């Protein structure tokens, strides 16, 4: 049976932003373990989507989860840059 609360949570912009950041983390881990143009591009696409999700969640009642999401995104952005640099060398 479906979770009756999942649709409510999925409509919350902060939850959507957090989910997008988790997707970035998974995509970056994939790029790190299997570096290729495709995995790096997938991670970049996830990063762009997460940035849009965070922008939509900005200014909501609780800024703390957004700040944590931004920090996590910046960490993953650094890891992704390292993978990209390895591919270009």
């Amino acid at each position: 049976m479906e979770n009756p609360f999942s649709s409510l949570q999925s409509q919350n912009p902060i939850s959507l932003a957090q989910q997008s950041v988790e997707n970035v983390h998974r995509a970056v881990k994939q790029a790190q373990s299997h570096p290729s143009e495709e995995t790096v591009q997938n991670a970049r696409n996830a990063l762009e989507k997460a940035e849009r999700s965070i922008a939509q969640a900005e200014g909501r009642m609780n800024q703390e989860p957004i700040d944590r999401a931004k920090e996590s995104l910046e960490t993953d952005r650094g890891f992704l840059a390292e993978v990209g640099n390895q591919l270009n060398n």
Side-chain angles (χ1 to χ4, degrees):
M1 179 171 203
E2 284 188 48
N3 182 347
F5 301 105
S6 65
S7 64
L8 293 175
Q9 184 180 24
S10 67
Q11 295 174 4
N12 179 337
I14 292 173
S15 294
L16 288 173
Q18 290 170 327
Q19 290 170 3
S20 290
V21 170
E22 289 171 16
N23 290 341
V24 170
H25 187 69
R26 282 191 294 274
V28 169
K29 290 292 182 192
Q30 180 72 23
Q32 287 176 313
S33 63
H34 299 81
S36 70
E37 290 297 328
E38 182 180 358
T39 58
V40 169
Q41 188 58 49
N42 288 343
R44 287 180 181 145
N45 292 343
L47 187 67
E48 289 175 15
K49 183 176 179 179
E51 289 170 340
R52 288 191 301 272
S53 293
I54 287 173
Q56 290 176 350
E58 286 283 358
R60 301 292 173 168
M61 297 285 286
N62 189 353
Q63 187 64 30
E64 184 180 339
I66 296 301
D67 291 341
R68 282 196 311 260
K70 286 180 179 179
E71 290 172 13
S72 179
L73 208 58
E74 286 306 312
T75 300
D76 284 332
R77 187 188 317 274
F79 290 141
L80 183 58
E82 290 175 14
V83 175
N85 288 339
Q86 289 172 1
L87 284 177
N88 293 326
N89 288 333

